[in-house]
Amino acid sequence: MRLLATAGRWTIPNLKQFQESRQPVVWLLAPLIGLATGLAAIGFRLAIGVFQLPWLHDMSENVVQAARAQPWWVIVLAPAAGGLLVGLMLRYVLTAKRTDAVPDVMEARVNAGRGLNLRQGC
């Protein structure tokens, strides 16, 4: 009986703190976020397969074996065509200002910090 009373004195305050501290929400969200992340990774891999299917005729991860079965000109032209497509999209479709990167920080350093706000430096 004494052991049960001691366990109750230790357990009840911790359970109250657990319920008040939003820990149950975190415990419920963690597996959901993990599941969503796993599904996103699988979807990303399938999307890669969809893009490699037209030029390698294979969606598997055996890219080298699939590439060996293709003529040399397909191996050269497919990535070049993809790069051209991305370049055209960046030029004509996504016309917003480019993202800030390391060269912008270096340029601001040369200019004594002018032209770089706090958001760009992060």
Side-chain angles (χ1 to χ4, degrees):
M1 276 312 213
R2 194 169 193 206
L3 182 62
L4 191 58
T6 303
R9 278 196 323 260
W10 288 351
T11 306
I12 292 173
N14 287 326
L15 284 175
K16 285 181 182 178
Q17 180 184 6
F18 176 76
Q19 289 175 341
E20 293 170 358
S21 68
R22 301 182 56 112
Q23 285 294 320
V25 174
V26 172
W27 283 29
L28 289 173
L29 285 178
L32 294 175
I33 292 171
L35 179 65
T37 303
L39 291 174
I42 292 169
F44 182 70
R45 179 60 193 106
L46 288 173
I48 290 172
V50 166
F51 279 98
Q52 87 184 29
L53 184 63
W55 66 285
L56 288 180
H57 307 292
D58 188 6
M59 287 182 66
S60 73
E61 294 182 14
N62 300 325
V63 177
V64 174
Q65 291 175 353
R68 283 185 183 144
Q70 302 303 318
W72 68 269
W73 56 270
V74 171
I75 303 304
V76 172
L77 289 181
L84 178 64
L85 180 66
V86 169
L88 290 172
M89 285 175 57
L90 288 173
R91 176 76 170 128
Y92 297 109
V93 178
L94 305 170
T95 58
K97 181 186 175 291
R98 67 178 177 80
T99 58
D100 299 312
V102 173
D104 298 307
V105 175
M106 294 169 64
E107 182 181 355
R109 177 72 175 135
V110 168
N111 295 327
R114 290 186 303 273
L116 184 68
N117 63 31
L118 185 60
R119 264 195 119 94
Q120 291 172 305
C122 295

PDB file of all heavy atoms in Angstrom, residues 42-61 63:
ATOM      1  N   ILE A  42       8.953   9.088 -50.680  1.00  0.00           N
ATOM      2  CA  ILE A  42       8.544   8.116 -51.694  1.00  0.00           C
ATOM      3  C   ILE A  42       8.004   8.835 -52.924  1.00  0.00           C
ATOM      4  O   ILE A  42       8.337   8.479 -54.066  1.00  0.00           O
ATOM      5  CB  ILE A  42       7.503   7.141 -51.108  1.00  0.00           C
ATOM      6  CG1 ILE A  42       8.162   6.252 -50.056  1.00  0.00           C
ATOM      7  CG2 ILE A  42       6.857   6.298 -52.205  1.00  0.00           C
ATOM      8  CD1 ILE A  42       7.191   5.433 -49.236  1.00  0.00           C
ATOM      9  N   GLY A  43       7.196   9.868 -52.710  1.00  0.00           N
ATOM     10  CA  GLY A  43       6.670  10.644 -53.840  1.00  0.00           C
ATOM     11  C   GLY A  43       7.770  11.313 -54.634  1.00  0.00           C
ATOM     12  O   GLY A  43       7.723  11.361 -55.865  1.00  0.00           O
ATOM     13  N   PHE A  44       8.791  11.814 -53.939  1.00  0.00           N
ATOM     14  CA  PHE A  44       9.912  12.455 -54.619  1.00  0.00           C
ATOM     15  C   PHE A  44      10.651  11.448 -55.488  1.00  0.00           C
ATOM     16  O   PHE A  44      11.004  11.728 -56.635  1.00  0.00           O
ATOM     17  CB  PHE A  44      10.856  13.081 -53.583  1.00  0.00           C
ATOM     18  CG  PHE A  44      12.016  13.818 -54.178  1.00  0.00           C
ATOM     19  CD1 PHE A  44      11.828  15.012 -54.851  1.00  0.00           C
ATOM     20  CD2 PHE A  44      13.294  13.309 -54.076  1.00  0.00           C
ATOM     21  CE1 PHE A  44      12.895  15.701 -55.404  1.00  0.00           C
ATOM     22  CE2 PHE A  44      14.373  13.988 -54.620  1.00  0.00           C
ATOM     23  CZ  PHE A  44      14.167  15.182 -55.288  1.00  0.00           C
ATOM     24  N   ARG A  45      10.870  10.251 -54.963  1.00  0.00           N
ATOM     25  CA  ARG A  45      11.560   9.216 -55.735  1.00  0.00           C
ATOM     26  C   ARG A  45      10.736   8.806 -56.952  1.00  0.00           C
ATOM     27  O   ARG A  45      11.264   8.578 -58.029  1.00  0.00           O
ATOM     28  CB  ARG A  45      11.862   8.002 -54.842  1.00  0.00           C
ATOM     29  CG  ARG A  45      12.550   6.877 -55.557  1.00  0.00           C
ATOM     30  CD  ARG A  45      13.901   7.327 -56.127  1.00  0.00           C
ATOM     31  NE  ARG A  45      14.418   6.376 -57.060  1.00  0.00           N
ATOM     32  CZ  ARG A  45      14.444   6.548 -58.398  1.00  0.00           C
ATOM     33  NH1 ARG A  45      13.982   7.652 -58.931  1.00  0.00           N
ATOM     34  NH2 ARG A  45      14.940   5.645 -59.176  1.00  0.00           N
ATOM     35  N   LEU A  46       9.411   8.705 -56.776  1.00  0.00           N
ATOM     36  CA  LEU A  46       8.552   8.377 -57.914  1.00  0.00           C
ATOM     37  C   LEU A  46       8.569   9.498 -58.956  1.00  0.00           C
ATOM     38  O   LEU A  46       8.537   9.224 -60.166  1.00  0.00           O
ATOM     39  CB  LEU A  46       7.126   8.107 -57.436  1.00  0.00           C
ATOM     40  CG  LEU A  46       6.932   6.796 -56.676  1.00  0.00           C
ATOM     41  CD1 LEU A  46       5.526   6.709 -56.115  1.00  0.00           C
ATOM     42  CD2 LEU A  46       7.249   5.605 -57.552  1.00  0.00           C
ATOM     43  N   ALA A  47       8.623  10.747 -58.502  1.00  0.00           N
ATOM     44  CA  ALA A  47       8.698  11.874 -59.441  1.00  0.00           C
ATOM     45  C   ALA A  47       9.997  11.829 -60.241  1.00  0.00           C
ATOM     46  O   ALA A  47       9.999  12.110 -61.445  1.00  0.00           O
ATOM     47  CB  ALA A  47       8.580  13.197 -58.690  1.00  0.00           C
ATOM     48  N   ILE A  48      11.091  11.461 -59.590  1.00  0.00           N
ATOM     49  CA  ILE A  48      12.359  11.298 -60.319  1.00  0.00           C
ATOM     50  C   ILE A  48      12.195  10.217 -61.373  1.00  0.00           C
ATOM     51  O   ILE A  48      12.634  10.368 -62.517  1.00  0.00           O
ATOM     52  CB  ILE A  48      13.509  10.963 -59.347  1.00  0.00           C
ATOM     53  CG1 ILE A  48      13.838  12.166 -58.482  1.00  0.00           C
ATOM     54  CG2 ILE A  48      14.742  10.486 -60.107  1.00  0.00           C
ATOM     55  CD1 ILE A  48      14.827  11.865 -57.373  1.00  0.00           C
ATOM     56  N   GLY A  49      11.534   9.114 -61.003  1.00  0.00           N
ATOM     57  CA  GLY A  49      11.298   8.035 -61.959  1.00  0.00           C
ATOM     58  C   GLY A  49      10.453   8.468 -63.137  1.00  0.00           C
ATOM     59  O   GLY A  49      10.707   8.069 -64.276  1.00  0.00           O
ATOM     60  N   VAL A  50       9.461   9.297 -62.885  1.00  0.00           N
ATOM     61  CA  VAL A  50       8.605   9.787 -63.972  1.00  0.00           C
ATOM     62  C   VAL A  50       9.421  10.631 -64.954  1.00  0.00           C
ATOM     63  O   VAL A  50       9.233  10.532 -66.168  1.00  0.00           O
ATOM     64  CB  VAL A  50       7.416  10.589 -63.395  1.00  0.00           C
ATOM     65  CG1 VAL A  50       6.713  11.383 -64.471  1.00  0.00           C
ATOM     66  CG2 VAL A  50       6.449   9.660 -62.693  1.00  0.00           C
ATOM     67  N   PHE A  51      10.350  11.429 -64.457  1.00  0.00           N
ATOM     68  CA  PHE A  51      11.160  12.260 -65.348  1.00  0.00           C
ATOM     69  C   PHE A  51      12.242  11.462 -66.073  1.00  0.00           C
ATOM     70  O   PHE A  51      12.661  11.838 -67.157  1.00  0.00           O
ATOM     71  CB  PHE A  51      11.787  13.428 -64.578  1.00  0.00           C
ATOM     72  CG  PHE A  51      10.834  14.564 -64.378  1.00  0.00           C
ATOM     73  CD1 PHE A  51      10.155  14.708 -63.189  1.00  0.00           C
ATOM     74  CD2 PHE A  51      10.606  15.476 -65.383  1.00  0.00           C
ATOM     75  CE1 PHE A  51       9.261  15.742 -62.998  1.00  0.00           C
ATOM     76  CE2 PHE A  51       9.716  16.521 -65.216  1.00  0.00           C
ATOM     77  CZ  PHE A  51       9.038  16.648 -64.017  1.00  0.00           C
ATOM     78  N   GLN A  52      12.693  10.360 -65.477  1.00  0.00           N
ATOM     79  CA  GLN A  52      13.714   9.576 -66.161  1.00  0.00           C
ATOM     80  C   GLN A  52      13.091   8.545 -67.104  1.00  0.00           C
ATOM     81  O   GLN A  52      13.773   8.017 -67.976  1.00  0.00           O
ATOM     82  CB  GLN A  52      14.662   8.918 -65.162  1.00  0.00           C
ATOM     83  CG  GLN A  52      14.236   7.583 -64.620  1.00  0.00           C
ATOM     84  CD  GLN A  52      15.186   7.052 -63.578  1.00  0.00           C
ATOM     85  OE1 GLN A  52      15.839   7.803 -62.860  1.00  0.00           O
ATOM     86  NE2 GLN A  52      15.258   5.751 -63.475  1.00  0.00           N
ATOM     87  N   LEU A  53      11.804   8.280 -66.973  1.00  0.00           N
ATOM     88  CA  LEU A  53      11.140   7.290 -67.826  1.00  0.00           C
ATOM     89  C   LEU A  53      11.194   7.633 -69.319  1.00  0.00           C
ATOM     90  O   LEU A  53      11.508   6.756 -70.127  1.00  0.00           O
ATOM     91  CB  LEU A  53       9.683   7.101 -67.370  1.00  0.00           C
ATOM     92  CG  LEU A  53       8.884   6.030 -68.108  1.00  0.00           C
ATOM     93  CD1 LEU A  53       9.508   4.664 -67.885  1.00  0.00           C
ATOM     94  CD2 LEU A  53       7.445   6.043 -67.639  1.00  0.00           C
ATOM     95  N   PRO A  54      10.939   8.876 -69.732  1.00  0.00           N
ATOM     96  CA  PRO A  54      10.945   9.152 -71.182  1.00  0.00           C
ATOM     97  C   PRO A  54      12.304   8.942 -71.847  1.00  0.00           C
ATOM     98  O   PRO A  54      12.363   8.551 -73.014  1.00  0.00           O
ATOM     99  CB  PRO A  54      10.531  10.615 -71.280  1.00  0.00           C
ATOM    100  CG  PRO A  54       9.855  10.923 -70.009  1.00  0.00           C
ATOM    101  CD  PRO A  54      10.467  10.031 -68.984  1.00  0.00           C
ATOM    102  N   TRP A  55      13.390   9.175 -71.168  1.00  0.00           N
ATOM    103  CA  TRP A  55      14.682   9.070 -71.842  1.00  0.00           C
ATOM    104  C   TRP A  55      15.464   7.821 -71.494  1.00  0.00           C
ATOM    105  O   TRP A  55      16.335   7.405 -72.245  1.00  0.00           O
ATOM    106  CB  TRP A  55      15.516  10.326 -71.642  1.00  0.00           C
ATOM    107  CG  TRP A  55      15.983  10.614 -70.253  1.00  0.00           C
ATOM    108  CD1 TRP A  55      15.250  11.078 -69.221  1.00  0.00           C
ATOM    109  CD2 TRP A  55      17.312  10.477 -69.759  1.00  0.00           C
ATOM    110  NE1 TRP A  55      16.024  11.232 -68.114  1.00  0.00           N
ATOM    111  CE2 TRP A  55      17.304  10.874 -68.418  1.00  0.00           C
ATOM    112  CE3 TRP A  55      18.517  10.059 -70.318  1.00  0.00           C
ATOM    113  CZ2 TRP A  55      18.433  10.864 -67.619  1.00  0.00           C
ATOM    114  CZ3 TRP A  55      19.643  10.059 -69.521  1.00  0.00           C
ATOM    115  CH2 TRP A  55      19.592  10.456 -68.196  1.00  0.00           C
ATOM    116  N   LEU A  56      15.155   7.152 -70.367  1.00  0.00           N
ATOM    117  CA  LEU A  56      15.827   5.896 -70.043  1.00  0.00           C
ATOM    118  C   LEU A  56      14.907   4.685 -70.189  1.00  0.00           C
ATOM    119  O   LEU A  56      15.363   3.557 -70.106  1.00  0.00           O
ATOM    120  CB  LEU A  56      16.368   5.928 -68.600  1.00  0.00           C
ATOM    121  CG  LEU A  56      17.564   6.817 -68.333  1.00  0.00           C
ATOM    122  CD1 LEU A  56      17.976   6.743 -66.884  1.00  0.00           C
ATOM    123  CD2 LEU A  56      18.724   6.442 -69.225  1.00  0.00           C
ATOM    124  N   HIS A  57      13.616   4.934 -70.350  1.00  0.00           N
ATOM    125  CA  HIS A  57      12.616   3.869 -70.455  1.00  0.00           C
ATOM    126  C   HIS A  57      12.647   2.957 -69.236  1.00  0.00           C
ATOM    127  O   HIS A  57      12.441   1.756 -69.344  1.00  0.00           O
ATOM    128  CB  HIS A  57      12.813   3.052 -71.739  1.00  0.00           C
ATOM    129  CG  HIS A  57      12.875   3.893 -72.959  1.00  0.00           C
ATOM    130  ND1 HIS A  57      11.785   4.587 -73.429  1.00  0.00           N
ATOM    131  CD2 HIS A  57      13.907   4.189 -73.798  1.00  0.00           C
ATOM    132  CE1 HIS A  57      12.132   5.252 -74.512  1.00  0.00           C
ATOM    133  NE2 HIS A  57      13.423   5.041 -74.751  1.00  0.00           N
ATOM    134  N   ASP A  58      12.916   3.532 -68.074  1.00  0.00           N
ATOM    135  CA  ASP A  58      13.019   2.770 -66.834  1.00  0.00           C
ATOM    136  C   ASP A  58      12.812   3.726 -65.666  1.00  0.00           C
ATOM    137  O   ASP A  58      13.334   4.838 -65.678  1.00  0.00           O
ATOM    138  CB  ASP A  58      14.406   2.128 -66.741  1.00  0.00           C
ATOM    139  CG  ASP A  58      14.537   1.162 -65.588  1.00  0.00           C
ATOM    140  OD1 ASP A  58      13.528   0.900 -64.912  1.00  0.00           O
ATOM    141  OD2 ASP A  58      15.653   0.675 -65.360  1.00  0.00           O
ATOM    142  N   MET A  59      12.052   3.286 -64.669  1.00  0.00           N
ATOM    143  CA  MET A  59      11.824   4.123 -63.488  1.00  0.00           C
ATOM    144  C   MET A  59      12.616   3.643 -62.278  1.00  0.00           C
ATOM    145  O   MET A  59      12.513   4.214 -61.203  1.00  0.00           O
ATOM    146  CB  MET A  59      10.332   4.133 -63.123  1.00  0.00           C
ATOM    147  CG  MET A  59       9.483   4.945 -64.065  1.00  0.00           C
ATOM    148  SD  MET A  59       7.758   4.984 -63.595  1.00  0.00           S
ATOM    149  CE  MET A  59       7.801   5.894 -62.065  1.00  0.00           C
ATOM    150  N   SER A  60      13.395   2.600 -62.418  1.00  0.00           N
ATOM    151  CA  SER A  60      14.102   2.028 -61.270  1.00  0.00           C
ATOM    152  C   SER A  60      15.291   2.897 -60.882  1.00  0.00           C
ATOM    153  O   SER A  60      15.633   3.866 -61.560  1.00  0.00           O
ATOM    154  CB  SER A  60      14.570   0.616 -61.590  1.00  0.00           C
ATOM    155  OG  SER A  60      15.653   0.659 -62.491  1.00  0.00           O
ATOM    156  N   GLU A  61      15.936   2.494 -59.808  1.00  0.00           N
ATOM    157  CA  GLU A  61      17.122   3.215 -59.351  1.00  0.00           C
ATOM    158  C   GLU A  61      18.391   2.710 -60.023  1.00  0.00           C
ATOM    159  O   GLU A  61      19.477   3.187 -59.719  1.00  0.00           O
ATOM    160  CB  GLU A  61      17.231   3.108 -57.828  1.00  0.00           C
ATOM    161  CG  GLU A  61      16.095   3.817 -57.121  1.00  0.00           C
ATOM    162  CD  GLU A  61      16.217   3.770 -55.614  1.00  0.00           C
ATOM    163  OE1 GLU A  61      17.292   3.430 -55.092  1.00  0.00           O
ATOM    164  OE2 GLU A  61      15.225   4.087 -54.949  1.00  0.00           O
ATOM    165  N   VAL A  63      20.031   3.350 -62.629  1.00  0.00           N
ATOM    166  CA  VAL A  63      20.191   4.339 -63.689  1.00  0.00           C
ATOM    167  C   VAL A  63      21.354   3.977 -64.612  1.00  0.00           C
ATOM    168  O   VAL A  63      21.254   4.117 -65.830  1.00  0.00           O
ATOM    169  CB  VAL A  63      20.385   5.748 -63.084  1.00  0.00           C
ATOM    170  CG1 VAL A  63      20.626   6.779 -64.158  1.00  0.00           C
ATOM    171  CG2 VAL A  63      19.193   6.117 -62.247  1.00  0.00           C
TER     172      VAL A  63
END
